Amino acid sequence: MSVETLTYDALGARLNISPVAARSLARRLRLPRSLSDDGKALVSVDLAEIRHTPQPPGRRQAGAVAQLTAKVVALQAEIVQLEAMAAGHRADFERERERAERLVTELLHAAAETTAAREAAARLEGEVAVLRARARTDSSIDKTERRLGQLAATLVESDRKAARG
């Protein structure tokens, strides 16, 4: 058992692997490390105890690349489908938004008409109350009847406007 102090380059050359793989192996095995005078990392290792067989780089990567390429193509197809679905949802959203805007406009118009009708009804009720009071105190029934006829005509006209709108 002879312990040697090697750089990652030297360890990689001895094990027939890259310096990056040698560094990864040293970290994985938790080999003691130190720095040399020139700033390079040195690893203390007993090569007889390390049982490392390097994997051929091309075989494993080719299969992984093919799988990843297939997955990328599948994901791109899914993205296209999702974009088409999103476009359909966007069109539905726009259509519903326009419909809601129309309904809000109609609602505001109906609210304005309702307010106007309530004001007219309040005004007419006030006039009817005045006429009834006059009819009790005043002997001129013709004026009262004429005014009631005008009020009735106003009510009919307001009702027709409400039916048209």
Side-chain angles (χ1 to χ4, degrees):
M1 289 204 259
S2 67
V3 175
E4 296 181 50
T5 304
L6 303 171
T7 63
Y8 292 131
D9 290 335
L11 181 60
R14 286 281 199 68
L15 296 175
N16 200 19
I17 57 177
S18 71
V20 174
R23 180 176 184 267
S24 176
L25 180 66
R27 291 181 82 178
R28 192 169 53 250
L29 296 175
R30 297 188 177 148
L31 299 175
R33 292 178 283 177
S34 61
L35 285 177
S36 67
D37 292 336
D38 60 354
K40 289 188 176 185
L42 297 173
V43 180
S44 300
V45 61
D46 183 3
L47 292 174
E49 290 183 8
I50 294 178
R51 299 192 197 304
H52 179 72
T53 55
Q55 300 261 338
R59 191 179 77 214
R60 185 171 41 135
Q61 288 179 353
V65 169
Q67 285 179 338
L68 290 175
T69 304
K71 192 167 190 168
V72 166
V73 169
L75 289 173
Q76 286 174 338
E78 188 175 348
I79 287 172
V80 168
Q81 288 175 343
L82 291 174
E83 285 175 344
M85 213 179 344
H89 291 311
R90 183 68 184 175
D92 291 343
F93 169 77
E94 292 294 332
R95 193 170 36 255
E96 288 300 317
R97 190 184 74 197
E98 290 172 5
R99 182 173 162 255
E101 288 174 355
R102 279 194 312 270
L103 289 174
V104 166
T105 303
E106 289 176 16
L107 181 64
L108 291 174
H109 184 67
E113 286 179 356
T114 302
T115 304
R118 283 185 182 151
E119 290 172 357
R123 183 179 47 80
L124 292 173
E125 285 175 4
E127 288 185 26
V128 167
V130 167
L131 288 175
R132 283 187 181 151
R134 258 195 219 157
R136 288 186 198 131
T137 60
D138 196 8
S139 62
S140 64
I141 296 187
D142 288 338
K143 282 184 182 180
T144 306
E145 286 178 354
R146 192 175 334 123
R147 186 64 189 136
L148 282 174
Q150 289 173 349
L151 286 176
T154 305
L155 283 173
V156 169
E157 183 180 334
S158 295
D159 188 43
R160 286 181 183 158
K161 283 182 182 178
R164 276 185 261 149

